[in-house]
Amino acid sequence: MGVLVIAEHDNATLAGATLSAITAAVRLDDAVQVLVAGHGCRAVAEAAARVQGVSLVRHSEAAHYARPTAEDLAALVVDLAADFTYVLAPASTFGKNFLPRVAAILDVAMISDLIRIEGPDRFVRPIYAGNAVATVQSTDPIKVVSVRATAFDAAPSGATAVPIEALEAKPHSDLAEVLAEQLTQSERPELTAAEIVVAGGRGMGSAEGFRLLEEIADRLGAAIGASRAAVDAGYVPNDYQVGQTGKIVAPKLYIAVGISGAIQHLAGMKDAKVVVAINKDEAAPIFQVADYALVADLFQALPELGAELKRVLAK
Amino acid sequence: MKILVPVKRVIDYNVRVRVKADGSGVETANVKMSMNPFDELAVEEAIRLKEAGRVEAIVAVSIGAPACRETLRTALAMGADRALLVTTESELQPLDVAKVLKAVVGQEAPELVIMGKQAIDDDCNQTGQMLAALLGWGQGTFACGVALAEDSVTVTREIDGGNQTVRLKLPAVVTADLRLNEPRYIKLPNIMKAKQKPLQSMTVQELGVEVAARLKTLQVSEPPPRRSGVKVSSVAELVDKLHNEAKVL
């Protein structure tokens, strides 16, 4: 009966997290359809049609899908869902918002934050801020699942495209209306997709302190992350937050600077391949998960690191 | 207007949880429990709306074992007006909780439900959305700002790229994110006063809700441990190791 993947996109490009969800979908069933609902998003549907493993793209256009509300998106998805065994979306704020609504209307349980598939009805997900993992078995006819993007590689794109089928939009619900969006502008790679993440905590001391990190990030082509303490102190915007309640990252290299390493922060980064911690407190819990630990004052270490990187990367 | 605030009793956020040896779950015996931090934010927000003169009554509700009474007393001490305990023997999953809450909403007829965006134990982030769906109400998830108007509520939401503002027709469900507010410190006289506030108790059966866990937990295990790292003595050594040993630069 196949898998329906709901694409996350900004009407211009397909979000990387969607590609990870497609990889999970392909492992569940070989009939994978992607729903692209948006406004002026033909290019996104065409990109989805070229992703390997996808057999059909459903494309729904409406002005109210430009930034769809959970109410509108759930109504569209629920109507399609009856034909599928699985309904998947990325476990981003996009997927977390509408997917439980879909599950409840279908009267099925939902599996949040899938990190491993153990069978057609067996799924592994983290609980307790990633301090335990649970294997759950679903007894529902339709399995509604959000997929943790960092746990699955992005599905590759090929040259051949599968058909795109138009899907009629549902009328706009008057329950909710998107009034505005304020997005953080950044030239740097997107935090959840970056190969290298440089993150700062309360130890950075100020927004100015974060400039030191920006220099390192720019030299490495890295994204910048932050602990909750740094966000609450107003050093950086809240969408920089890495952790249980922020973003989950699993880059090749994670450099934690002035971050103590509370349980809630570790939940968001401990699957990074290599973790570096720079902290002046030798007892900081971050050192327990760090592959390379440097006990040093960050205001001395960071300029040195910048100079050293310049020297090594120039080679 | 009346606000309903669901609160959950969970293992305290500072506790390092231990997985049981038989893989059936995590150890909860003799472990410090407290109100789910996101629910605290929800209670605080409801109180602030009441203090702003827009709200007449705040009803806190918790579902679970009799020990959830403690959590409700905390909500009352913060400033909720009365509390409801819905007892059950079984461990409820978000869909069940949403169904129980729907029945409570049917009895209480609140115009707004404010709850945490997720519980820090199951990390599901589902119940608020499911409740909104079952009621056919609008939802404002991951709220960092809430403004009440006559027949609508405007919610600023934390989304991956920044913030989004949505306007919801009332009644509606709002789920609280960390930056919504700073919960107040509970003073001793308020704890004493909370003991006089009404706390009504009923069972899931009395509410007429059938609960049936659809997800079966087969196993709970420890995540793979990270191998212990090495200490470097200088920035130069660090960069050298990243470059030549880990080969990530």
Side-chain angles (χ1 to χ4, degrees), chain A residues 11 80 184 199 254 289:
Chain A
N11 295 305
L80 278 181
T184 306
Y254 188 89
V289 300

Side-chain angles (χ1 to χ4, degrees), chain A residues 11 21 53 78 86 94 112-113 118 138 159 162 172 187 189 219 238 252 287:
Chain A
N11 295 305
V78 162
Y86 304 95
F94 165 81
S112 293
D113 257 316
E118 295 221 320
S138 164
V162 300
H172 176 44
E187 301 284 301
R219 211 172 278 291
N238 56 36
K252 223 166 60 171
F287 286 131

Side-chain angles (χ1 to χ4, degrees), chain B residues 1 32 144 186 198 209 211 222:
Chain B
M1 115 174 0
K32 187 184 176 202
C144 59
I186 302 171
V209 183
V211 293
E222 299 260 4

Side-chain angles (χ1 to χ4, degrees), chain B residues 58-245:
Chain B
I58 301 167
V59 181
V61 56
S62 194
I63 306 160
C68 295
R69 216 171 268 274
E70 264 173 55
T71 318
L72 288 170
R73 288 287 173 211
T74 307
L76 293 170
M78 284 178 76
D81 297 294
R82 55 192 185 82
L84 280 174
L85 171 66
V86 184
T87 54
T88 174
E89 299 291 306
S90 32
E91 188 130 339
L92 298 192
Q93 290 168 358
L95 184 62
D96 297 320
V97 174
K99 286 178 180 176
V100 173
L101 289 175
K102 184 192 173 193
V104 173
V105 166
Q107 284 195 356
E108 292 287 336
E111 278 170 88
L112 190 63
V113 177
I114 307 183
M115 55 202 292
K117 75 161 180 179
Q118 80 189 60
I120 60 164
D121 51 3
D122 63 23
D123 280 337
C124 278
N125 197 328
Q126 299 174 2
T127 309
Q129 295 89 315
M130 288 181 157
L131 175 62
L134 296 179
L135 292 166
W137 293 4
Q139 64 181 58
T141 52
F142 326 138
C144 59
V146 176
L148 271 180
E150 201 48 52
D151 52 4
S152 70
V153 56
T154 301
V155 178
T156 309
R157 308 178 52 233
E158 293 199 8
I159 58 171
D160 285 335
N163 288 337
Q164 183 187 68
T165 312
V166 292
R167 186 173 51 217
L168 309 171
K169 203 166 92 174
L170 288 174
V173 176
V174 171
T175 73
D177 214 323
L178 276 178
R179 265 163 290 277
L180 182 57
N181 57 48
E182 187 120 355
R184 64 196 59 197
Y185 180 75
I186 302 171
K187 297 192 186 89
L188 186 62
N190 292 348
I191 296 175
M192 304 312 287
K193 260 189 261 170
K195 289 185 179 159
Q196 310 304 321
K197 290 186 181 176
L199 195 162
Q200 189 194 344
S201 177
M202 65 186 88
T203 65
V204 166
Q205 289 75 20
E206 281 167 349
L207 268 179
V209 183
E210 275 202 32
V211 293
R214 313 286 187 77
L215 290 180
K216 203 169 134 196
T217 300
L218 301 177
Q219 201 201 1
V220 174
S221 53
E222 299 260 4
R226 285 191 75 94
R227 58 178 176 79
S228 58
V230 296
K231 209 163 160 181
V232 294
S233 56
S234 68
V235 169
E237 189 190 345
L238 172 66
V239 173
D240 176 67
K241 288 218 188 266
L242 289 176
H243 191 60
N244 297 314
E245 189 179 280

Side-chain angles (χ1 to χ4, degrees), chain A residues 57-114:
Chain A
V57 173
R58 311 266 196 140
H59 177 202
S60 194
E61 277 283 333
H64 56 275
Y65 293 157
R67 290 177 298 204
T69 62
E71 292 77 1
D72 283 340
L73 200 51
L76 182 68
V77 173
V78 162
D79 251 26
L80 278 181
D83 295 336
F84 293 88
T85 312
Y86 304 95
V87 176
L88 266 56
S92 54
T93 52
F94 165 81
K96 286 173 177 171
N97 188 37
F98 80 90
L99 213 47
R101 196 172 174 101
V102 169
I105 298 170
L106 295 172
D107 192 31
V108 299
M110 175 180 154
I111 296 104
S112 293
D113 257 316
L114 172 75

Side-chain angles (χ1 to χ4, degrees), chain A residues 25 48 147 179 215 306:
Chain A
V147 179
L179 300 181
E215 281 172 38

Side-chain angles (χ1 to χ4, degrees), chain A residues 9 36 77 86 113-114 168 181 204 223 253 269 281 296 300 307:
Chain A
H9 62 87
V36 177
V77 173
Y86 304 95
D113 257 316
L114 172 75
E168 202 180 327
E181 260 178 23
M204 301 309 298
L253 174 61
M269 46 63 71
D281 175 13
Q300 268 173 18

